[in-house]
Amino acid sequence: VAISGNTHAVKYSTDNGATWTESTMDTSLDSTPGNWSKVEFGNGRFVAISKDEKPSVYSFDGITWYQSNLTVKGTILTYGNGVFVVINVEDGICCQSEDGFNWRILDGEVSPYTALGFTFDDVTKKGWFLTISDTGAAYKISTGSRAAARAKVENTSITSIGMLQAGSGYDVPPTVQVF
């Protein structure tokens, strides 16, 4: 999927880029052409961010787009550790989302940074988002997806708990409480 920086055009390919089909993003999502600044794929969906005060959008197919629940004015977006991370360098705000719809603001100062990437530590094998400024200063952001489990119930008793998503980005392994 590619989003035009000058119009509301969206191009998508279903054959690994051999051919491209053009569609138009609904102007109610962002009425100003050229405001879409970045699109990223992860967790089975595309997420696009706008440079103005409009909500981010997400799509499962690159054709139909849906509005998120939070205005995320962003200039930098990437995916890793099971989450999307967006930074608005003008306002110094950094947000994360597992699904492109629900966003939360992360703590930390990121305003002087102009690049964002995802990498793994060779020693700990932990994933980090890394921002880098024009002067070479760096800031690590530790975040990731939440763990999710499902209980198997038989005859009104829990017989087992299976992990659906192990989660990522933990400083300390999460604890499991069963009541």
Side-chain angles (χ1 to χ4, degrees), residues 84-106:
F84 295 94
V85 172
V86 62
I87 293 178
N88 177 353
V89 295
E90 294 172 13
D91 298 338
I93 295 173
C94 182
C95 300
Q96 79 136 62
S97 173
E98 292 182 32
D99 57 12
F101 177 75
N102 297 295
W103 292 86
R104 70 179 180 93
I105 296 174
L106 299 175

Side-chain angles (χ1 to χ4, degrees), residues 18-33:
T19 59
W20 291 85
T21 303
E22 184 171 321
S23 66
T24 304
M25 189 176 290
D26 182 351
T27 57
S28 69
L29 299 174
D30 190 337
S31 60
T32 308

Side-chain angles (χ1 to χ4, degrees), residues 7-145:
T7 67
H8 286 29
V10 177
K11 291 193 175 189
Y12 62 92
S13 174
T14 58
D15 56 9
N16 294 323
T19 59
W20 291 85
T21 303
E22 184 171 321
S23 66
T24 304
M25 189 176 290
D26 182 351
T27 57
S28 69
L29 299 174
D30 190 337
S31 60
T32 308
N35 273 350
W36 297 109
S37 59
K38 181 82 168 137
V39 64
E40 196 70 39
F41 181 80
N43 198 19
R45 68 204 69 212
F46 299 94
V47 171
I49 56 172
S50 176
K51 293 183 277 188
D52 64 2
E53 296 293 333
K54 299 285 184 176
S56 65
V57 294
Y58 63 98
S59 173
F60 299 103
D61 58 11
I63 302 166
T64 305
W65 293 84
Y66 306 94
Q67 205 169 54
S68 74
N69 69 341
L70 177 68
T71 297
V72 181
K73 178 181 175 184
T75 49
I76 302 172
L77 171 71
T78 198
Y79 180 83
N81 258 11
V83 295
F84 295 94
V85 172
V86 62
I87 293 178
N88 177 353
V89 295
E90 294 172 13
D91 298 338
I93 295 173
C94 182
C95 300
Q96 79 136 62
S97 173
E98 292 182 32
D99 57 12
F101 177 75
N102 297 295
W103 292 86
R104 70 179 180 93
I105 296 174
L106 299 175
D107 294 331
E109 180 60 41
V110 295
S111 58
Y113 299 98
T114 58
L116 175 68
F118 181 78
T119 188
F120 282 96
D121 184 300
D122 287 340
V123 177
T124 65
K125 306 300 182 209
K126 182 175 181 176
W128 294 95
F129 290 90
L130 184 66
T131 61
I132 301 171
S133 73
D134 289 339
T135 63
Y139 178 77
K140 291 193 310 186
I141 301 169
S142 176
T143 189
S145 62

